[in-house]
Amino acid sequence: MANHLPSALKNAEELKKEFRDKKALLFLDFDGTLAPIVENHEDAAISEEMRDLVQQLSKVYPTAVVSGRGMKDVNQRVNLPELYYAGSHGFEISGPGNFLKENDEAQKVLPIFDKIQPILKQKLKDINGVDFERKKFTLAIHYRKVDENFTSEVHTRVSEVLKDYPELLKADGKKVIEVRPAIDWHKGKAVEFLKEQLGEKDQKFSVYIGDDVTDEDAFKYVDNGLGILVGDHGNKTYADYSLENIDEVKEFFQLLLKQ
Ligand SMILES: [Mg+2]
């Protein structure tokens, strides 16, 4: 294990006690945490077993799924209507009882997305394997299928286009560039916001489980939170514990649920 963090699995008994004593709120990333990373982002799916575990956990701990995917997309994939969902890195949040919250500032930027999408497509059309995914508040440019020799060229060209649009910024994920509103908002702030929604007054302790660089905002930013990194994204981490992969996530959930 490259990140040198203590294993959440090996410390599951203590963590379970801490989670129960402090009435933890649970925040879960989707891709790479609940669902395996796949070649085509559209094919990502949560297993029945994992869905069942998340459902059981949500009965013990108020639970939200936080994802870079669009809110509707992640909502449909997880398909547990009793949970909260923060999509597009938290720019859009939904929950039970038709709860809906969208970032007002980000809404103002929506027309610019419509404008830059064709420009970026044109600039990248001669590079094979680039795949666009328009989410409401993010334009994702996937390059998992692009030849490694051309990936830096993808980054360069996207940066060049974005120079003219200060309202937008380029964020890097795993084999994906995400064009987002240049607003100080990220998964960590979405978690802080959701903590107010999900928790009772005395319920301020949160657990966040995620695998991506973008999850670091949640590990770093959230007060009174515990972070668990899944796998290793190769950058500095602010997580407190680690799990090696999705199988370990599943095992950890099973231990948390064990009476
Ligand atoms: Mg992820």
Side-chain angles (χ1 to χ4, degrees), residues 29-33 187 211-212 215:
D29 168 51
F30 182 72
D31 292 85
T33 301
K187 282 179 169 179
D211 72 310
D212 206 289
D215 296 312

Side-chain angles (χ1 to χ4, degrees), residues 204-254:
K204 296 290 174 214
F205 176 68
S206 60
V207 177
Y208 189 101
I209 308 180
D211 72 310
D212 206 289
V213 187
T214 58
D215 296 312
E216 289 297 329
D217 287 325
F219 296 148
K220 193 176 162 184
Y221 185 86
V222 175
D223 281 335
N224 203 359
L226 184 143
I228 301 176
L229 177 67
V230 182
D232 194 353
H233 52 52
N235 293 337
K236 179 178 164 60
T237 182
Y238 291 85
D240 305 288
Y241 291 89
S242 70
L243 292 165
E244 292 238 22
N245 48 41
I246 292 190
D247 287 336
E248 281 204 6
V249 173
K250 202 159 67 183
E251 224 177 304
F252 183 62
F253 286 172
Q254 283 159 346

Side-chain angles (χ1 to χ4, degrees), residues 32-160:
T33 301
L34 298 181
I37 302 269
V38 286
E39 178 97 351
N40 293 309
H41 61 93
E42 291 140 27
D43 299 338
I46 183 170
S47 67
E48 281 304 324
E49 195 185 6
M50 187 66 101
R51 179 181 288 116
D52 186 51
L53 285 167
V54 174
Q55 187 169 36
Q56 288 182 56
L57 276 172
S58 74
K59 290 175 184 156
V60 186
Y61 308 102
T63 301
V65 178
V66 183
S67 177
R69 287 179 182 271
M71 182 191 72
K72 276 198 186 132
D73 180 351
V74 69
N75 192 323
Q76 279 164 4
R77 278 172 212 269
V78 179
N79 196 18
L80 292 170
E82 61 269 46
L83 305 190
Y84 277 83
Y85 295 89
S88 305
H89 299 283
F91 282 114
E92 40 177 356
I93 295 170
S94 71
N98 291 322
F99 176 84
L100 185 68
K101 161 86 183 164
E102 292 185 342
N103 187 299
D104 296 335
E105 274 180 86
Q107 289 212 321
K108 291 178 196 152
V109 186
L110 291 179
I112 305 172
F113 279 109
D114 298 332
K115 199 168 154 189
I116 60 147
Q117 187 164 348
I119 299 172
L120 284 165
K121 275 195 173 157
Q122 175 67 24
K123 293 270 183 204
L124 294 165
K125 69 170 191 224
D126 60 327
I127 299 177
N128 280 335
V130 179
D131 187 9
F132 285 80
E133 181 194 4
R134 174 66 199 275
K135 303 174 258 189
K136 186 160 185 182
F137 292 100
T138 315
L139 175 62
I141 303 158
H142 297 270
Y143 58 87
R144 192 170 294 279
K145 289 178 273 180
V146 170
D147 185 308
E148 268 193 30
N149 295 319
F150 295 104
T151 56
S152 69
E153 187 60 24
V154 175
H155 280 272
T156 307
R157 292 190 196 178
V158 172
S159 298
E160 272 170 16

